[in-house]
Amino acid sequence: MIKVLIYEDNPQLREGLTMLIDGSEGFNVVASYNNCTNIVSELKTWKPDVILMDIDMPAMNGIEGLKKIREINQQVKVLMLTVFDDNSNVFEALKNGANGYLLKKTPPAKLLEYIDDVASGGAPMTSSIATQVLKMFSELPGQTKNEYHLSEREKQVLQLLVNGYSYKMIASEMFIAIDTVRSHIKKIYEKLQVNSKSEAVAKAFKDKLI
């Protein structure tokens, strides 16, 4: 059962998301709120697997909420669900540890698929956002000489992460156990000095590691 916590200030959308997710097999909405000002205590109370986070909310926006989450928890998966598809919001969300970035026009069935994917270690993005991200990072100046001493196996895992593969999919593709995948990813994070998949993908593009 994937436990989902929702932050969305539009009451109709919040109720619609709750009904959709809670009414689908394998998902449970533990709580939903119209702002994230108390996100630290709510995170500790509900212990969700996945957080659906709007960006434009009163009192504290979703990017600030994301920063608060990452100060105390690196494991919980955070999916930004927003109307904003501009570069600055996308970049800020990924830089601060978002695990995925979806637009609110995402079809319901696809949204459930994305939540399941991110819970399994994937990094789902609406296709138009993914295109932006690829373009954005390809234009950043890279440190091409710094290879971070990644092994060929680690580079292969990193490439699959960039391709949006979940841990389970990487294990299947490389014919290795999921624990082995986790071990490789832990070493990649240590070598790249990052704390999340989105940061690793960003650095892979920026420094042309793949």
Side-chain angles (χ1 to χ4, degrees), residues 17 22 25 27-28 33 47 51 60 63 74 96 100 108 122 153 156 158 160 172 182 187 191 197:
L17 287 169
D22 218 26
E25 189 176 350
F27 300 90
N28 172 224
Y33 298 95
K47 298 179 174 58
I51 294 175
M60 181 187 290
I63 302 291
Q74 293 292 332
N96 286 289
R153 204 68 163 156
Q156 189 179 355
L158 182 58
L160 293 174
S172 174
R182 290 196 182 99
K187 287 176 184 171
K191 290 181 180 181
K197 179 180 293 187

Side-chain angles (χ1 to χ4, degrees), residues 50-165:
V50 176
I51 294 175
L52 277 187
M53 177 74 79
D54 186 19
I55 288 183
D56 188 20
M57 289 184 289
M60 181 187 290
N61 69 38
I63 302 291
E64 291 303 315
L66 175 62
K67 290 177 184 177
K68 292 283 185 188
I69 293 169
R70 291 305 179 221
E71 285 173 6
I72 62 164
N73 189 314
Q74 293 292 332
Q75 283 72 47
V76 66
K77 310 300 183 185
V78 182
L79 264 180
M80 310 308 286
L81 184 64
T82 177
V83 294
F84 295 116
D85 62 354
D86 57 286
N87 280 0
S88 61
N89 276 297
V90 173
F91 185 75
E92 282 300 310
L94 296 181
K95 186 178 76 172
N96 286 289
N99 301 97
Y101 198 108
L102 309 176
L103 296 182
K104 287 183 178 178
K105 61 185 179 182
T106 302
K110 200 71 179 168
L111 177 60
L112 293 171
E113 187 181 313
Y114 284 147
I115 294 172
D116 185 54
D117 183 30
V118 78
S120 301
M125 291 185 198
T126 302
S127 57
S128 61
I129 298 294
T131 302
Q132 271 191 63
V133 170
L134 292 173
K135 187 172 185 295
M136 204 166 24
F137 287 119
S138 70
E139 291 172 351
L140 289 172
Q143 302 170 7
T144 51
K145 293 180 181 177
N146 193 347
E147 288 292 330
Y148 297 98
H149 307 293
L150 294 175
S151 69
E152 285 305 312
R153 204 68 163 156
E154 288 162 356
K155 285 181 184 176
Q156 189 179 355
V157 171
L158 182 58
Q159 177 68 67
L160 293 174
L161 283 179
V162 168
N163 292 347
Y165 280 48

Side-chain angles (χ1 to χ4, degrees), residues 121-123 134 147 150-167 169-171 173-174 176 181 184-185 188-189 192 197-210:
L134 292 173
E147 288 292 330
L150 294 175
S151 69
E152 285 305 312
R153 204 68 163 156
E154 288 162 356
K155 285 181 184 176
Q156 189 179 355
V157 171
L158 182 58
Q159 177 68 67
L160 293 174
L161 283 179
V162 168
N163 292 347
Y165 280 48
S166 66
Y167 289 16
M169 291 164 69
I170 293 173
E173 179 75 16
M174 296 180 66
I176 55 178
V181 173
H184 282 313
I185 289 174
I188 290 169
Y189 284 5
L192 299 187
K197 179 180 293 187
S198 53
E199 287 182 83
V201 170
K203 188 161 274 194
F205 280 116
K206 183 175 177 290
D207 293 351
K208 301 178 175 64
L209 299 180
I210 43 114

